[in-house]
Amino acid sequence: MAIVDVRILVEGASDVEVVSKALQGLALGSEYNITISAIIPTTNVEIAKSAAAGADLLIIATDADRVGRDLAERLFNELSEMVGHIERMKLPLGHDLEHVDVELVRKELKNTLVRAGLKSLQILPEYMALRNQLLDLKGRYDGLAEEYKRLHEEYKKLTKAYEETKAENDRLREENEGLKALLENAKNIFRIDEAWKSLFPAEPVPDEAYIGKAVEKLGLAGRVVVGQGYIFAEDKALVEELLKTVYLSLAIREEPPKPPESPEDEPLPPKPSEEPEVAADPEVKSDDIEGLLKGL
């Protein structure tokens, strides 16, 4: 159990002697678990504040006359927020140890300590209510702390996604600005379908993405831009060469070369007849002879 720090504030040095004498007959440590850490002789509020700040219990011991009561009230108002608890103690009139009833001072000091303890018991229910409220608030705080941790992790993920999206947006903006500049400065703009049909009227128009890939493969990026159904190029001849290359690529991909025929598939020459054929009509006409001679 913690020791209770008690300090006693008196009006002057003679009161220090009176209070010290009274304390000699009290076993405060064993009976009340308290210690008198300081007896402060002063009527100055600022000095009292400095000396009493942080005490668990402050006893203001002043004379029982009107001056003592006024001083005690003023000190009580000024110091109440700087200490745990304040109790008023009345000293009997007179400051001479030979004429002061020390036993009476000791009894008053003991009663003051008892009053402080009883007042502490009176506020115990309020303390317990505050303690329960504190425990409830602590439970809510722990729950909010967990929620904050979860939200913080989600925030970090969203921040990362935002940064990635922002970077992609910046890239697209830069690409769009380049396309816009190219549109503003381009000499020739061609529709893909019209340019293709002008070269290959009977062939279906290829996919725009395929043409864009051809631009990359041929190293034409920067000179030719494909998008939104258009081709943007420096001149028409470059567009025609690009489309011809695309056409050739599609033709090769769609019509792979046929493998050579096997010699086994070739027709065999007719075998020569062992006996010469004999015409059914052996008669030879003069017109036939003349035709053969002309053929030679």
Side-chain angles (χ1 to χ4, degrees), residues 167-202:
E168 178 67 13
N169 181 67
D170 293 341
R171 185 188 67 79
L172 292 175
R173 182 185 293 112
E174 183 178 353
E175 183 176 328
N176 184 63
E177 291 296 330
L179 180 60
K180 182 179 178 181
L182 183 61
L183 284 172
E184 293 175 352
N185 301 324
K187 297 179 180 179
N188 295 295
I189 303 176
F190 306 92
R191 287 185 59 88
I192 292 177
D193 53 353
E194 293 178 358
W196 181 267
K197 290 298 183 182
S198 66
L199 295 174
F200 314 106

PDB file of all heavy atoms in Angstrom, residues 167-202:
ATOM      1  N   ALA A 167       0.063   7.345 -61.149  1.00  0.00           N
ATOM      2  CA  ALA A 167       1.171   7.177 -62.085  1.00  0.00           C
ATOM      3  C   ALA A 167       0.654   6.769 -63.470  1.00  0.00           C
ATOM      4  O   ALA A 167       1.121   7.269 -64.498  1.00  0.00           O
ATOM      5  CB  ALA A 167       2.153   6.133 -61.553  1.00  0.00           C
ATOM      6  N   GLU A 168      -0.333   5.855 -63.477  1.00  0.00           N
ATOM      7  CA  GLU A 168      -0.920   5.435 -64.757  1.00  0.00           C
ATOM      8  C   GLU A 168      -1.650   6.590 -65.418  1.00  0.00           C
ATOM      9  O   GLU A 168      -1.579   6.777 -66.641  1.00  0.00           O
ATOM     10  CB  GLU A 168      -1.884   4.266 -64.512  1.00  0.00           C
ATOM     11  CG  GLU A 168      -2.587   3.763 -65.758  1.00  0.00           C
ATOM     12  CD  GLU A 168      -1.639   3.109 -66.764  1.00  0.00           C
ATOM     13  OE1 GLU A 168      -0.473   2.831 -66.393  1.00  0.00           O
ATOM     14  OE2 GLU A 168      -2.063   2.896 -67.911  1.00  0.00           O
ATOM     15  N   ASN A 169      -2.333   7.390 -64.611  1.00  0.00           N
ATOM     16  CA  ASN A 169      -3.034   8.554 -65.158  1.00  0.00           C
ATOM     17  C   ASN A 169      -2.056   9.561 -65.748  1.00  0.00           C
ATOM     18  O   ASN A 169      -2.306  10.137 -66.812  1.00  0.00           O
ATOM     19  CB  ASN A 169      -3.870   9.209 -64.059  1.00  0.00           C
ATOM     20  CG  ASN A 169      -4.645  10.413 -64.565  1.00  0.00           C
ATOM     21  OD1 ASN A 169      -5.556  10.287 -65.366  1.00  0.00           O
ATOM     22  ND2 ASN A 169      -4.280  11.582 -64.089  1.00  0.00           N
ATOM     23  N   ASP A 170      -0.931   9.769 -65.039  1.00  0.00           N
ATOM     24  CA  ASP A 170       0.085  10.689 -65.562  1.00  0.00           C
ATOM     25  C   ASP A 170       0.663  10.176 -66.877  1.00  0.00           C
ATOM     26  O   ASP A 170       0.910  10.952 -67.809  1.00  0.00           O
ATOM     27  CB  ASP A 170       1.207  10.875 -64.537  1.00  0.00           C
ATOM     28  CG  ASP A 170       0.730  11.602 -63.289  1.00  0.00           C
ATOM     29  OD1 ASP A 170      -0.317  12.265 -63.368  1.00  0.00           O
ATOM     30  OD2 ASP A 170       1.402  11.492 -62.248  1.00  0.00           O
ATOM     31  N   ARG A 171       0.866   8.846 -66.931  1.00  0.00           N
ATOM     32  CA  ARG A 171       1.395   8.273 -68.173  1.00  0.00           C
ATOM     33  C   ARG A 171       0.409   8.455 -69.320  1.00  0.00           C
ATOM     34  O   ARG A 171       0.789   8.856 -70.434  1.00  0.00           O
ATOM     35  CB  ARG A 171       1.687   6.788 -67.965  1.00  0.00           C
ATOM     36  CG  ARG A 171       2.360   6.123 -69.162  1.00  0.00           C
ATOM     37  CD  ARG A 171       2.436   4.625 -68.978  1.00  0.00           C
ATOM     38  NE  ARG A 171       1.116   4.017 -69.004  1.00  0.00           N
ATOM     39  CZ  ARG A 171       0.434   3.775 -70.127  1.00  0.00           C
ATOM     40  NH1 ARG A 171       0.948   4.094 -71.312  1.00  0.00           N
ATOM     41  NH2 ARG A 171      -0.757   3.211 -70.076  1.00  0.00           N
ATOM     42  N   LEU A 172      -0.863   8.197 -69.044  1.00  0.00           N
ATOM     43  CA  LEU A 172      -1.878   8.358 -70.088  1.00  0.00           C
ATOM     44  C   LEU A 172      -2.037   9.823 -70.484  1.00  0.00           C
ATOM     45  O   LEU A 172      -2.259  10.123 -71.664  1.00  0.00           O
ATOM     46  CB  LEU A 172      -3.217   7.803 -69.595  1.00  0.00           C
ATOM     47  CG  LEU A 172      -3.281   6.279 -69.405  1.00  0.00           C
ATOM     48  CD1 LEU A 172      -4.615   5.876 -68.809  1.00  0.00           C
ATOM     49  CD2 LEU A 172      -3.057   5.562 -70.732  1.00  0.00           C
ATOM     50  N   ARG A 173      -1.913  10.714 -69.504  1.00  0.00           N
ATOM     51  CA  ARG A 173      -2.008  12.136 -69.832  1.00  0.00           C
ATOM     52  C   ARG A 173      -0.861  12.559 -70.740  1.00  0.00           C
ATOM     53  O   ARG A 173      -1.044  13.300 -71.709  1.00  0.00           O
ATOM     54  CB  ARG A 173      -1.996  12.970 -68.550  1.00  0.00           C
ATOM     55  CG  ARG A 173      -2.145  14.469 -68.836  1.00  0.00           C
ATOM     56  CD  ARG A 173      -2.007  15.309 -67.587  1.00  0.00           C
ATOM     57  NE  ARG A 173      -3.095  15.090 -66.670  1.00  0.00           N
ATOM     58  CZ  ARG A 173      -2.974  14.497 -65.502  1.00  0.00           C
ATOM     59  NH1 ARG A 173      -1.787  14.052 -65.108  1.00  0.00           N
ATOM     60  NH2 ARG A 173      -4.004  14.329 -64.707  1.00  0.00           N
ATOM     61  N   GLU A 174       0.338  12.065 -70.397  1.00  0.00           N
ATOM     62  CA  GLU A 174       1.494  12.391 -71.227  1.00  0.00           C
ATOM     63  C   GLU A 174       1.330  11.828 -72.639  1.00  0.00           C
ATOM     64  O   GLU A 174       1.632  12.501 -73.635  1.00  0.00           O
ATOM     65  CB  GLU A 174       2.757  11.828 -70.573  1.00  0.00           C
ATOM     66  CG  GLU A 174       4.034  12.183 -71.323  1.00  0.00           C
ATOM     67  CD  GLU A 174       5.262  11.639 -70.622  1.00  0.00           C
ATOM     68  OE1 GLU A 174       5.132  11.117 -69.496  1.00  0.00           O
ATOM     69  OE2 GLU A 174       6.349  11.726 -71.216  1.00  0.00           O
ATOM     70  N   GLU A 175       0.816  10.591 -72.693  1.00  0.00           N
ATOM     71  CA  GLU A 175       0.598   9.983 -74.009  1.00  0.00           C
ATOM     72  C   GLU A 175      -0.474  10.752 -74.785  1.00  0.00           C
ATOM     73  O   GLU A 175      -0.354  10.955 -75.999  1.00  0.00           O
ATOM     74  CB  GLU A 175       0.165   8.535 -73.811  1.00  0.00           C
ATOM     75  CG  GLU A 175      -0.022   7.770 -75.109  1.00  0.00           C
ATOM     76  CD  GLU A 175      -0.365   6.317 -74.859  1.00  0.00           C
ATOM     77  OE1 GLU A 175       0.095   5.754 -73.849  1.00  0.00           O
ATOM     78  OE2 GLU A 175      -1.105   5.745 -75.690  1.00  0.00           O
ATOM     79  N   ASN A 176      -1.514  11.176 -74.066  1.00  0.00           N
ATOM     80  CA  ASN A 176      -2.574  11.941 -74.714  1.00  0.00           C
ATOM     81  C   ASN A 176      -2.067  13.290 -75.210  1.00  0.00           C
ATOM     82  O   ASN A 176      -2.464  13.759 -76.288  1.00  0.00           O
ATOM     83  CB  ASN A 176      -3.722  12.142 -73.723  1.00  0.00           C
ATOM     84  CG  ASN A 176      -4.910  12.845 -74.353  1.00  0.00           C
ATOM     85  OD1 ASN A 176      -5.528  12.332 -75.280  1.00  0.00           O
ATOM     86  ND2 ASN A 176      -5.235  14.022 -73.853  1.00  0.00           N
ATOM     87  N   GLU A 177      -1.187  13.922 -74.398  1.00  0.00           N
ATOM     88  CA  GLU A 177      -0.615  15.195 -74.835  1.00  0.00           C
ATOM     89  C   GLU A 177       0.219  15.016 -76.090  1.00  0.00           C
ATOM     90  O   GLU A 177       0.201  15.843 -77.001  1.00  0.00           O
ATOM     91  CB  GLU A 177       0.241  15.789 -73.714  1.00  0.00           C
ATOM     92  CG  GLU A 177      -0.546  16.268 -72.497  1.00  0.00           C
ATOM     93  CD  GLU A 177      -1.479  17.410 -72.838  1.00  0.00           C
ATOM     94  OE1 GLU A 177      -1.153  18.182 -73.761  1.00  0.00           O
ATOM     95  OE2 GLU A 177      -2.543  17.514 -72.197  1.00  0.00           O
ATOM     96  N   GLY A 178       0.982  13.893 -76.128  1.00  0.00           N
ATOM     97  CA  GLY A 178       1.766  13.619 -77.333  1.00  0.00           C
ATOM     98  C   GLY A 178       0.883  13.390 -78.541  1.00  0.00           C
ATOM     99  O   GLY A 178       1.170  13.877 -79.646  1.00  0.00           O
ATOM    100  N   LEU A 179      -0.219  12.674 -78.323  1.00  0.00           N
ATOM    101  CA  LEU A 179      -1.152  12.431 -79.416  1.00  0.00           C
ATOM    102  C   LEU A 179      -1.820  13.730 -79.852  1.00  0.00           C
ATOM    103  O   LEU A 179      -2.004  13.977 -81.053  1.00  0.00           O
ATOM    104  CB  LEU A 179      -2.211  11.425 -78.958  1.00  0.00           C
ATOM    105  CG  LEU A 179      -3.282  11.038 -79.990  1.00  0.00           C
ATOM    106  CD1 LEU A 179      -2.643  10.409 -81.220  1.00  0.00           C
ATOM    107  CD2 LEU A 179      -4.295  10.083 -79.371  1.00  0.00           C
ATOM    108  N   LYS A 180      -2.153  14.550 -78.870  1.00  0.00           N
ATOM    109  CA  LYS A 180      -2.766  15.833 -79.201  1.00  0.00           C
ATOM    110  C   LYS A 180      -1.806  16.709 -80.006  1.00  0.00           C
ATOM    111  O   LYS A 180      -2.204  17.348 -80.995  1.00  0.00           O
ATOM    112  CB  LYS A 180      -3.162  16.547 -77.908  1.00  0.00           C
ATOM    113  CG  LYS A 180      -3.860  17.869 -78.124  1.00  0.00           C
ATOM    114  CD  LYS A 180      -4.239  18.498 -76.790  1.00  0.00           C
ATOM    115  CE  LYS A 180      -4.906  19.843 -77.010  1.00  0.00           C
ATOM    116  NZ  LYS A 180      -5.262  20.482 -75.709  1.00  0.00           N
ATOM    117  N   ALA A 181      -0.530  16.721 -79.578  1.00  0.00           N
ATOM    118  CA  ALA A 181       0.463  17.507 -80.325  1.00  0.00           C
ATOM    119  C   ALA A 181       0.632  16.970 -81.737  1.00  0.00           C
ATOM    120  O   ALA A 181       0.784  17.727 -82.701  1.00  0.00           O
ATOM    121  CB  ALA A 181       1.795  17.487 -79.583  1.00  0.00           C
ATOM    122  N   LEU A 182       0.599  15.636 -81.849  1.00  0.00           N
ATOM    123  CA  LEU A 182       0.742  15.026 -83.166  1.00  0.00           C
ATOM    124  C   LEU A 182      -0.458  15.364 -84.047  1.00  0.00           C
ATOM    125  O   LEU A 182      -0.314  15.635 -85.242  1.00  0.00           O
ATOM    126  CB  LEU A 182       0.889  13.514 -83.021  1.00  0.00           C
ATOM    127  CG  LEU A 182       1.132  12.730 -84.320  1.00  0.00           C
ATOM    128  CD1 LEU A 182       2.418  13.185 -84.990  1.00  0.00           C
ATOM    129  CD2 LEU A 182       1.191  11.242 -84.047  1.00  0.00           C
ATOM    130  N   LEU A 183      -1.639  15.400 -83.416  1.00  0.00           N
ATOM    131  CA  LEU A 183      -2.828  15.765 -84.178  1.00  0.00           C
ATOM    132  C   LEU A 183      -2.766  17.208 -84.667  1.00  0.00           C
ATOM    133  O   LEU A 183      -3.191  17.527 -85.777  1.00  0.00           O
ATOM    134  CB  LEU A 183      -4.079  15.572 -83.313  1.00  0.00           C
ATOM    135  CG  LEU A 183      -4.563  14.138 -83.104  1.00  0.00           C
ATOM    136  CD1 LEU A 183      -5.675  14.107 -82.079  1.00  0.00           C
ATOM    137  CD2 LEU A 183      -5.044  13.556 -84.423  1.00  0.00           C
ATOM    138  N   GLU A 184      -2.239  18.045 -83.804  1.00  0.00           N
ATOM    139  CA  GLU A 184      -2.155  19.456 -84.184  1.00  0.00           C
ATOM    140  C   GLU A 184      -1.111  19.695 -85.259  1.00  0.00           C
ATOM    141  O   GLU A 184      -1.270  20.569 -86.116  1.00  0.00           O
ATOM    142  CB  GLU A 184      -1.828  20.290 -82.942  1.00  0.00           C
ATOM    143  CG  GLU A 184      -2.953  20.308 -81.912  1.00  0.00           C
ATOM    144  CD  GLU A 184      -2.556  21.037 -80.653  1.00  0.00           C
ATOM    145  OE1 GLU A 184      -1.349  21.392 -80.554  1.00  0.00           O
ATOM    146  OE2 GLU A 184      -3.427  21.244 -79.779  1.00  0.00           O
ATOM    147  N   ASN A 185      -0.034  18.915 -85.249  1.00  0.00           N
ATOM    148  CA  ASN A 185       1.065  19.142 -86.187  1.00  0.00           C
ATOM    149  C   ASN A 185       1.084  18.156 -87.357  1.00  0.00           C
ATOM    150  O   ASN A 185       1.937  18.261 -88.239  1.00  0.00           O
ATOM    151  CB  ASN A 185       2.407  19.055 -85.452  1.00  0.00           C
ATOM    152  CG  ASN A 185       2.487  20.073 -84.330  1.00  0.00           C
ATOM    153  OD1 ASN A 185       1.977  21.180 -84.456  1.00  0.00           O
ATOM    154  ND2 ASN A 185       3.100  19.689 -83.219  1.00  0.00           N
ATOM    155  N   ALA A 186       0.164  17.181 -87.329  1.00  0.00           N
ATOM    156  CA  ALA A 186       0.208  16.151 -88.380  1.00  0.00           C
ATOM    157  C   ALA A 186      -0.134  16.737 -89.742  1.00  0.00           C
ATOM    158  O   ALA A 186      -1.006  17.593 -89.872  1.00  0.00           O
ATOM    159  CB  ALA A 186      -0.763  15.031 -88.033  1.00  0.00           C
ATOM    160  N   LYS A 187       0.572  16.225 -90.770  1.00  0.00           N
ATOM    161  CA  LYS A 187       0.314  16.681 -92.143  1.00  0.00           C
ATOM    162  C   LYS A 187      -0.786  15.847 -92.794  1.00  0.00           C
ATOM    163  O   LYS A 187      -1.517  16.348 -93.639  1.00  0.00           O
ATOM    164  CB  LYS A 187       1.592  16.574 -92.971  1.00  0.00           C
ATOM    165  CG  LYS A 187       2.713  17.461 -92.465  1.00  0.00           C
ATOM    166  CD  LYS A 187       3.955  17.297 -93.318  1.00  0.00           C
ATOM    167  CE  LYS A 187       5.078  18.186 -92.814  1.00  0.00           C
ATOM    168  NZ  LYS A 187       6.309  18.025 -93.604  1.00  0.00           N
ATOM    169  N   ASN A 188      -0.872  14.569 -92.420  1.00  0.00           N
ATOM    170  CA  ASN A 188      -1.848  13.688 -93.043  1.00  0.00           C
ATOM    171  C   ASN A 188      -2.529  12.834 -91.984  1.00  0.00           C
ATOM    172  O   ASN A 188      -1.870  12.255 -91.130  1.00  0.00           O
ATOM    173  CB  ASN A 188      -1.171  12.760 -94.062  1.00  0.00           C
ATOM    174  CG  ASN A 188      -0.601  13.535 -95.231  1.00  0.00           C
ATOM    175  OD1 ASN A 188      -1.321  14.145 -95.991  1.00  0.00           O
ATOM    176  ND2 ASN A 188       0.723  13.517 -95.352  1.00  0.00           N
ATOM    177  N   ILE A 189      -3.853  12.778 -92.072  1.00  0.00           N
ATOM    178  CA  ILE A 189      -4.661  11.953 -91.191  1.00  0.00           C
ATOM    179  C   ILE A 189      -5.554  11.097 -92.077  1.00  0.00           C
ATOM    180  O   ILE A 189      -6.267  11.616 -92.933  1.00  0.00           O
ATOM    181  CB  ILE A 189      -5.528  12.814 -90.250  1.00  0.00           C
ATOM    182  CG1 ILE A 189      -4.644  13.766 -89.434  1.00  0.00           C
ATOM    183  CG2 ILE A 189      -6.357  11.939 -89.329  1.00  0.00           C
ATOM    184  CD1 ILE A 189      -5.423  14.709 -88.566  1.00  0.00           C
ATOM    185  N   PHE A 190      -5.520   9.790 -91.874  1.00  0.00           N
ATOM    186  CA  PHE A 190      -6.256   8.875 -92.739  1.00  0.00           C
ATOM    187  C   PHE A 190      -7.135   7.970 -91.890  1.00  0.00           C
ATOM    188  O   PHE A 190      -6.721   7.485 -90.836  1.00  0.00           O
ATOM    189  CB  PHE A 190      -5.284   7.996 -93.552  1.00  0.00           C
ATOM    190  CG  PHE A 190      -4.271   8.794 -94.345  1.00  0.00           C
ATOM    191  CD1 PHE A 190      -3.025   9.090 -93.792  1.00  0.00           C
ATOM    192  CD2 PHE A 190      -4.564   9.258 -95.605  1.00  0.00           C
ATOM    193  CE1 PHE A 190      -2.098   9.812 -94.496  1.00  0.00           C
ATOM    194  CE2 PHE A 190      -3.633   9.985 -96.320  1.00  0.00           C
ATOM    195  CZ  PHE A 190      -2.393  10.273 -95.782  1.00  0.00           C
ATOM    196  N   ARG A 191      -8.347   7.716 -92.402  1.00  0.00           N
ATOM    197  CA  ARG A 191      -9.187   6.697 -91.795  1.00  0.00           C
ATOM    198  C   ARG A 191      -8.644   5.332 -92.184  1.00  0.00           C
ATOM    199  O   ARG A 191      -8.293   5.102 -93.345  1.00  0.00           O
ATOM    200  CB  ARG A 191     -10.635   6.830 -92.269  1.00  0.00           C
ATOM    201  CG  ARG A 191     -11.373   8.033 -91.671  1.00  0.00           C
ATOM    202  CD  ARG A 191     -12.828   8.017 -92.107  1.00  0.00           C
ATOM    203  NE  ARG A 191     -13.494   6.787 -91.684  1.00  0.00           N
ATOM    204  CZ  ARG A 191     -14.088   6.620 -90.512  1.00  0.00           C
ATOM    205  NH1 ARG A 191     -14.104   7.627 -89.651  1.00  0.00           N
ATOM    206  NH2 ARG A 191     -14.666   5.479 -90.208  1.00  0.00           N
ATOM    207  N   ILE A 192      -8.591   4.429 -91.222  1.00  0.00           N
ATOM    208  CA  ILE A 192      -7.996   3.115 -91.482  1.00  0.00           C
ATOM    209  C   ILE A 192      -8.790   2.361 -92.547  1.00  0.00           C
ATOM    210  O   ILE A 192      -8.213   1.798 -93.482  1.00  0.00           O
ATOM    211  CB  ILE A 192      -7.930   2.300 -90.174  1.00  0.00           C
ATOM    212  CG1 ILE A 192      -6.927   2.938 -89.213  1.00  0.00           C
ATOM    213  CG2 ILE A 192      -7.539   0.854 -90.449  1.00  0.00           C
ATOM    214  CD1 ILE A 192      -6.831   2.251 -87.874  1.00  0.00           C
ATOM    215  N   ASP A 193     -10.122   2.362 -92.407  1.00  0.00           N
ATOM    216  CA  ASP A 193     -10.928   1.587 -93.363  1.00  0.00           C
ATOM    217  C   ASP A 193     -10.820   2.139 -94.781  1.00  0.00           C
ATOM    218  O   ASP A 193     -10.723   1.391 -95.759  1.00  0.00           O
ATOM    219  CB  ASP A 193     -12.376   1.545 -92.902  1.00  0.00           C
ATOM    220  CG  ASP A 193     -12.936   2.930 -92.640  1.00  0.00           C
ATOM    221  OD1 ASP A 193     -12.166   3.914 -92.693  1.00  0.00           O
ATOM    222  OD2 ASP A 193     -14.160   3.029 -92.381  1.00  0.00           O
ATOM    223  N   GLU A 194     -10.786   3.481 -94.900  1.00  0.00           N
ATOM    224  CA  GLU A 194     -10.698   4.061 -96.241  1.00  0.00           C
ATOM    225  C   GLU A 194      -9.330   3.798 -96.870  1.00  0.00           C
ATOM    226  O   GLU A 194      -9.237   3.449 -98.056  1.00  0.00           O
ATOM    227  CB  GLU A 194     -10.953   5.567 -96.159  1.00  0.00           C
ATOM    228  CG  GLU A 194     -12.382   5.912 -95.756  1.00  0.00           C
ATOM    229  CD  GLU A 194     -12.586   7.409 -95.630  1.00  0.00           C
ATOM    230  OE1 GLU A 194     -11.589   8.155 -95.823  1.00  0.00           O
ATOM    231  OE2 GLU A 194     -13.726   7.845 -95.348  1.00  0.00           O
ATOM    232  N   ALA A 195      -8.274   3.942 -96.084  1.00  0.00           N
ATOM    233  CA  ALA A 195      -6.938   3.708 -96.618  1.00  0.00           C
ATOM    234  C   ALA A 195      -6.757   2.243 -97.023  1.00  0.00           C
ATOM    235  O   ALA A 195      -6.135   1.929 -98.059  1.00  0.00           O
ATOM    236  CB  ALA A 195      -5.887   4.100 -95.584  1.00  0.00           C
ATOM    237  N   TRP A 196      -7.307   1.339 -96.224  1.00  0.00           N
ATOM    238  CA  TRP A 196      -7.177  -0.093 -96.544  1.00  0.00           C
ATOM    239  C   TRP A 196      -7.969  -0.444 -97.800  1.00  0.00           C
ATOM    240  O   TRP A 196      -7.473  -1.144 -98.674  1.00  0.00           O
ATOM    241  CB  TRP A 196      -7.657  -0.918 -95.357  1.00  0.00           C
ATOM    242  CG  TRP A 196      -7.541  -2.400 -95.560  1.00  0.00           C
ATOM    243  CD1 TRP A 196      -8.499  -3.245 -96.041  1.00  0.00           C
ATOM    244  CD2 TRP A 196      -6.388  -3.202 -95.332  1.00  0.00           C
ATOM    245  NE1 TRP A 196      -8.038  -4.520 -96.119  1.00  0.00           N
ATOM    246  CE2 TRP A 196      -6.730  -4.521 -95.677  1.00  0.00           C
ATOM    247  CE3 TRP A 196      -5.110  -2.946 -94.868  1.00  0.00           C
ATOM    248  CZ2 TRP A 196      -5.836  -5.577 -95.580  1.00  0.00           C
ATOM    249  CZ3 TRP A 196      -4.220  -3.999 -94.751  1.00  0.00           C
ATOM    250  CH2 TRP A 196      -4.574  -5.299 -95.109  1.00  0.00           C
ATOM    251  N   LYS A 197      -9.211   0.023 -97.886  1.00  0.00           N
ATOM    252  CA  LYS A 197     -10.052  -0.299 -99.039  1.00  0.00           C
ATOM    253  C   LYS A 197      -9.510   0.299-100.337  1.00  0.00           C
ATOM    254  O   LYS A 197      -9.737  -0.237-101.418  1.00  0.00           O
ATOM    255  CB  LYS A 197     -11.476   0.202 -98.792  1.00  0.00           C
ATOM    256  CG  LYS A 197     -12.234  -0.572 -97.718  1.00  0.00           C
ATOM    257  CD  LYS A 197     -12.411  -2.025 -98.117  1.00  0.00           C
ATOM    258  CE  LYS A 197     -13.233  -2.791 -97.082  1.00  0.00           C
ATOM    259  NZ  LYS A 197     -13.372  -4.216 -97.446  1.00  0.00           N
ATOM    260  N   SER A 198      -8.784   1.425-100.181  1.00  0.00           N
ATOM    261  CA  SER A 198      -8.204   2.007-101.399  1.00  0.00           C
ATOM    262  C   SER A 198      -7.097   1.121-101.956  1.00  0.00           C
ATOM    263  O   SER A 198      -6.817   1.155-103.162  1.00  0.00           O
ATOM    264  CB  SER A 198      -7.654   3.401-101.096  1.00  0.00           C
ATOM    265  OG  SER A 198      -6.553   3.325-100.199  1.00  0.00           O
ATOM    266  N   LEU A 199      -6.468   0.315-101.107  1.00  0.00           N
ATOM    267  CA  LEU A 199      -5.399  -0.575-101.551  1.00  0.00           C
ATOM    268  C   LEU A 199      -5.914  -1.989-101.804  1.00  0.00           C
ATOM    269  O   LEU A 199      -5.517  -2.642-102.784  1.00  0.00           O
ATOM    270  CB  LEU A 199      -4.279  -0.613-100.505  1.00  0.00           C
ATOM    271  CG  LEU A 199      -3.510   0.694-100.264  1.00  0.00           C
ATOM    272  CD1 LEU A 199      -2.542   0.533 -99.101  1.00  0.00           C
ATOM    273  CD2 LEU A 199      -2.748   1.106-101.525  1.00  0.00           C
ATOM    274  N   PHE A 200      -6.770  -2.465-100.927  1.00  0.00           N
ATOM    275  CA  PHE A 200      -7.251  -3.845-101.016  1.00  0.00           C
ATOM    276  C   PHE A 200      -8.771  -3.850-100.879  1.00  0.00           C
ATOM    277  O   PHE A 200      -9.306  -4.115 -99.806  1.00  0.00           O
ATOM    278  CB  PHE A 200      -6.620  -4.706 -99.911  1.00  0.00           C
ATOM    279  CG  PHE A 200      -5.124  -4.512 -99.766  1.00  0.00           C
ATOM    280  CD1 PHE A 200      -4.617  -3.797 -98.690  1.00  0.00           C
ATOM    281  CD2 PHE A 200      -4.244  -5.005-100.723  1.00  0.00           C
ATOM    282  CE1 PHE A 200      -3.254  -3.594 -98.553  1.00  0.00           C
ATOM    283  CE2 PHE A 200      -2.883  -4.808-100.584  1.00  0.00           C
ATOM    284  CZ  PHE A 200      -2.381  -4.100 -99.510  1.00  0.00           C
ATOM    285  N   PRO A 201      -9.477  -3.520-101.921  1.00  0.00           N
ATOM    286  CA  PRO A 201     -10.935  -3.372-101.828  1.00  0.00           C
ATOM    287  C   PRO A 201     -11.651  -4.655-101.431  1.00  0.00           C
ATOM    288  O   PRO A 201     -12.713  -4.602-100.792  1.00  0.00           O
ATOM    289  CB  PRO A 201     -11.343  -2.935-103.235  1.00  0.00           C
ATOM    290  CG  PRO A 201     -10.101  -2.731-104.013  1.00  0.00           C
ATOM    291  CD  PRO A 201      -8.942  -3.230-103.254  1.00  0.00           C
ATOM    292  N   ALA A 202     -11.113  -5.800-101.833  1.00  0.00           N
ATOM    293  CA  ALA A 202     -11.817  -7.061-101.583  1.00  0.00           C
ATOM    294  C   ALA A 202     -11.458  -7.694-100.239  1.00  0.00           C
ATOM    295  O   ALA A 202     -12.035  -8.714 -99.877  1.00  0.00           O
ATOM    296  CB  ALA A 202     -11.527  -8.052-102.715  1.00  0.00           C
TER     297      ALA A 202
END
